[in-house]
Amino acid sequence: MSEPIFLLSPPRSFSSVVSSIIGQHPQLYCFPELHLLWRDNVEHVLSSKSNITQCRYAPSGLLRAIAEVHENKQDSAACSRAWMWLANHRSLSTKELFDYLCVAHDPKLCIEKSPGNTRSIDRMIRLFKFYPKAKFIHLTRSVVGSSKSLKEFFEHRDSNQGERKSLRHPLVKDNYALMWYATHKSILKFRSIIPPSNFLTVKGESILIEPHSVLPQICEWLGVSTDERSIDEMLHPENSPYAFFGPRMAPCGNDPKFITNPEFRPMRRKEYSFEQVRTYLTSNDRSNFTRYYIERSSSEAVISRLQDWNHSLLELVLDIEAQLGYA
């Protein structure tokens, strides 16, 4: 089995469309979000609390990936049989299950992009221990675009499902830049402890603006063909076997917004200056990082400390933005 490729990014960083684009290369195969490798075994996957909170049997992407391997289709019956297969293989380790899926697509290199992989540096180190020759693509997006997209995503989801308790915390709600910052900080720390040859940082905006320039560079780094036919196939993410909504028991596995309209759409060049980013992060139509506590404090000393902390957080976010080549 060839070593896999892991795409690392915060949520709402073009990961669904970019991974599907890369996965359409004839020598590559992209899974949907499996939500798998940070857990120990299939029993752990099936008993996860997230299955209960999201009213599902197992992660949608995992059921669809198994159904595709077993039956080359993802209808309700195939996904039900995929779930029964999982239930009968509860003792399988998650690595064994992932290897099983990858072997089914051999000799293609398999790509996995579950956002949960980047939830902590420990999870990324676990991936590296499992696959020491794996390649990691760090996909980035400017904090402005990412924050706007996160806000839109969570507002839409909360209106349908109710707000998750963690997202009601004052330091999280409307402060999506902190989520962006924490994830990228962990990814950059992970980059510092693995061989440089295993790691590539790519701007999502660049792929969507200049695909014919950026995609051949990614292919060359991955060691796959850079010919024109391969690049052209990559520009059809709608041909991914997961670029449509699945059955009720496994509807997604990728970003619903991408699944709704999976065709490649070139992005207009959009860059933010350092001052535009600073202005966005401090403007009145969103919370400053510590505003919730400032508004509830009557102590000038406490307010002063909170303002200093707010300034420090802002500078940390701007520093990561600069490290990633933005602003």
Side-chain angles (χ1 to χ4, degrees):
M1 185 190 87
S2 302
E3 291 287 286
I5 300 157
F6 294 102
L7 192 148
L8 309 176
S9 72
R12 314 304 296 176
S13 297
F14 307 119
S15 61
S16 287
V17 62
V18 166
S19 63
S20 297
I21 287 171
I22 297 174
Q24 285 310 109
H25 189 286
Q27 295 171 263
L28 304 174
Y29 185 89
C30 182
F31 292 117
E33 297 174 5
L34 301 178
H35 298 282
L36 186 64
L37 286 170
W38 64 83
R39 297 177 169 122
D40 294 327
N41 51 43
V42 171
E43 173 64 35
H44 190 188
V45 174
L46 295 179
S47 62
S48 168
K49 289 182 179 179
S50 61
N51 292 334
I52 298 172
T53 57
Q54 297 183 39
C55 301
R56 65 187 187 187
Y57 295 92
S60 293
L62 180 59
L63 292 178
R64 294 182 65 178
I66 294 171
E68 185 69 21
V69 164
H70 288 175
E71 304 185 35
N72 199 31
K73 59 182 180 180
Q74 304 165 37
D75 59 17
S76 182
C79 288
S80 295
R81 286 187 286 270
W83 178 81
M84 288 188 286
W85 184 89
L86 279 176
N88 289 326
H89 291 81
R90 291 174 180 270
S91 63
L92 270 182
S93 73
T94 52
K95 183 181 184 302
E96 289 172 330
L97 176 53
F98 185 68
D99 288 349
Y100 173 80
L101 294 174
C102 289
V103 167
H105 299 287
D106 197 60
K108 292 185 177 183
L109 302 175
C110 290
I111 304 164
E112 214 282 322
K113 50 82 65 175
S114 300
N117 289 335
T118 59
R119 192 73 57 82
S120 70
I121 189 170
D122 289 340
R123 291 186 179 185
M124 289 180 275
I125 291 173
R126 179 183 175 93
L127 297 178
F128 183 61
K129 287 181 177 178
F130 282 163
Y131 305 101
K133 294 183 180 179
K135 297 213 169 183
F136 297 88
I137 298 176
H138 178 194
L139 182 66
T140 69
R141 184 180 185 180
S142 170
V143 65
V144 177
S146 182
S147 296
K148 289 180 178 179
S149 185
L150 280 166
K151 180 178 177 64
E152 176 189 348
F153 172 77
F154 283 122
E155 285 181 348
H156 175 74
R157 191 187 66 178
D158 293 346
S159 66
N160 294 325
Q161 300 180 7
E163 205 172 27
R164 288 168 60 185
K165 184 176 180 180
S166 62
L167 295 175
R168 292 198 297 267
H169 192 282
L171 283 179
V172 176
K173 185 174 175 59
D174 294 333
N175 287 328
Y176 302 113
L178 291 184
M179 300 173 66
W180 176 94
Y181 165 78
T183 304
H184 280 303
K185 183 181 179 182
S186 293
I187 295 173
L188 291 173
K189 186 175 181 180
F190 174 67
R191 180 183 69 177
S192 70
I193 62 177
I194 69 170
S197 59
N198 290 50
F199 197 96
L200 177 70
T201 298
V202 182
K203 289 182 179 180
E205 295 93 338
S206 296
I207 294 175
L208 300 180
I209 292 171
E210 303 173 313
H212 288 285
S213 173
V214 179
L215 290 177
Q217 297 176 41
I218 297 175
C219 292
E220 184 175 359
W221 181 74
L222 292 173
V224 297
S225 174
T226 60
D227 63 23
E228 186 175 347
R229 180 180 176 183
S230 297
I231 302 303
D232 286 342
E233 289 193 36
M234 296 171 79
L235 296 179
H236 291 280
E238 71 275 11
N239 292 334
S240 163
Y242 308 104
F244 62 93
F245 285 103
R248 185 173 182 178
M249 71 177 298
C252 292
N254 267 318
D255 174 24
K257 192 173 182 179
F258 162 71
I259 298 175
T260 301
N261 190 3
E263 289 80 10
F264 176 81
R265 297 179 300 282
M267 183 179 180
R268 291 182 297 174
R269 185 174 295 278
K270 191 171 186 179
E271 297 178 353
Y272 300 96
S273 69
F274 186 83
E275 287 307 315
Q276 285 175 320
V277 175
R278 180 183 288 274
T279 299
Y280 173 80
L281 293 173
T282 58
S283 61
N284 291 329
D285 63 350
R286 68 191 49 78
S287 302
N288 288 330
F289 301 124
T290 58
R291 179 177 295 170
Y292 175 89
Y293 297 102
I294 290 176
E295 291 176 347
R296 284 156 180 76
S297 176
S298 58
S299 168
E300 292 187 7
V302 171
I303 291 173
S304 178
R305 287 198 299 271
L306 288 170
Q307 288 173 337
D308 288 343
W309 190 26
N310 189 78
H311 176 76
S312 297
L313 287 170
L314 174 63
E315 295 305 317
L316 288 171
V317 171
L318 291 172
D319 178 63
I320 294 291
E321 176 90 343
Q323 286 186 53
L324 297 177
Y326 298 94

